[in-house]
Amino acid sequence: MGGACSGKKPQPKQKQQQQELNIVEQPYLQVQSMSQPQSRPPEQRSESGQSVKELLYQYKKFTDFLGLVGNLDHLPAHTREQLNNCIIQRSNINILIQNSIKRIMREQKIIKRVEESDYYLIHNDEKFAITFVQLMQRISNIILTELQSDSNFQEAFPMLIVSFVDLATQINKEIENFQNFKTHLIKKQNTKNQISQDNYQASTNK
């Protein structure tokens, strides 16, 4: 009650922007604090799950790099827009991670606080993986198609742009691995279905 009558002056735009870039979320829901997951049974691991795991670590790097940008007020409008797009994607992924882990816990009737060791739950979750890969692709596209060619961003952050571009390249490589594995699974399943169909037809023609 007292705070409403304290007559505090509105925070300057610069300070608000700085706070926006340094949002402190619940640490147990942040990828930034994610450590190496505990070893799980082989049936809970797969090549696509490994790609998701690697993308999560690359996402952590992305959030770390984004936190180094700081105040955006001195940057031109186009550059600010692209960085704000990065912030939006970061928020979307944080929400996706949180909701996905909670969903899986509900499905498995797990009642507990989300911890770092629980991230293995989303490594092989199809629903999470599809959306997560799409969002990471957006981040990579922003970096490689917008920030990499933005002379204003390069001048303001000559070292950071190198790190961003290198990270985007790693993201694309891991996304390609993920997609190749999915394509292989589809072909394998189609072949299996065709063999089953051929065997069925052969048995009915006897």
Side-chain angles (χ1 to χ4, degrees):
M1 296 293 291
C5 301
S6 61
K8 289 184 179 179
K9 295 181 180 180
Q11 294 182 342
K13 181 179 179 182
Q14 179 176 348
K15 188 173 182 180
Q16 289 179 340
Q17 184 68 55
Q18 181 67 29
Q19 289 178 340
E20 181 183 1
L21 281 168
N22 293 282
I23 297 173
V24 179
E25 300 178 16
Q26 299 180 58
Y28 57 89
L29 294 177
Q30 279 192 305
V31 179
Q32 287 90 324
S33 63
M34 184 176 63
S35 61
Q36 185 72 21
Q38 297 176 358
S39 178
R40 298 290 162 183
E43 63 269 19
Q44 294 184 1
R45 299 194 299 267
S46 69
E47 187 172 336
S48 64
Q50 183 64 29
S51 292
V52 171
K53 178 181 171 183
E54 291 299 325
L55 284 171
L56 281 168
Y57 282 112
Q58 289 163 5
Y59 171 67
K60 175 191 179 301
K61 289 183 180 180
F62 167 75
T63 58
D64 290 343
F65 292 159
L66 192 58
L68 296 175
V69 173
N71 178 38
L72 304 182
D73 287 348
H74 66 289
L75 297 172
H78 175 75
T79 305
R80 288 201 308 270
E81 180 183 355
Q82 300 311 316
L83 289 171
N84 282 328
N85 284 340
C86 287
I87 294 173
I88 291 172
Q89 301 311 318
R90 179 187 65 182
S91 298
N92 289 340
I93 291 177
N94 282 342
I95 293 171
L96 174 66
I97 291 172
Q98 174 182 346
N99 291 343
S100 296
I101 292 179
K102 288 183 177 180
R103 170 178 56 79
I104 296 171
M105 283 186 166
R106 286 196 303 270
E107 292 172 354
Q108 299 186 8
K109 294 181 172 55
I110 299 174
I111 303 176
K112 64 186 289 292
R113 177 188 177 95
V114 177
E115 298 175 349
E116 294 176 7
S117 59
D118 297 320
Y119 277 88
Y120 77 93
L121 291 170
I122 55 177
H123 288 169
N124 293 292
D125 183 71
E126 187 73 16
K127 291 181 180 179
F128 170 78
I130 292 174
T131 305
F132 179 55
V133 168
Q134 291 174 346
L135 293 174
M136 290 297 286
Q137 185 69 72
R138 291 180 189 176
I139 289 174
S140 175
N141 289 342
I142 293 172
I143 294 172
L144 295 178
T145 64
E146 299 294 342
L147 295 180
Q148 185 178 19
S149 60
D150 190 329
S151 59
N152 294 300
F153 186 79
Q154 292 177 15
E155 292 175 5
F157 306 99
M159 298 298 294
L160 190 57
I161 184 59
V162 175
S163 298
F164 266 126
V165 171
D166 181 62
L167 177 62
T169 303
Q170 294 176 33
I171 290 173
N172 282 348
K173 181 179 179 181
E174 206 56 58
I175 289 176
E176 183 179 359
N177 290 339
F178 176 85
Q179 293 173 338
N180 287 341
F181 180 72
K182 288 300 181 183
T183 301
H184 172 72
L185 284 182
I186 293 173
K187 290 181 178 179
K188 185 177 180 180
Q189 185 62 42
N190 289 340
T191 301
K192 183 178 179 181
N193 292 340
Q194 184 62 46
I195 292 174
S196 298
Q197 184 177 357
D198 292 344
N199 290 339
Y200 173 76
Q201 290 178 347
S203 63
T204 56
N205 292 333
K206 287 182 179 179

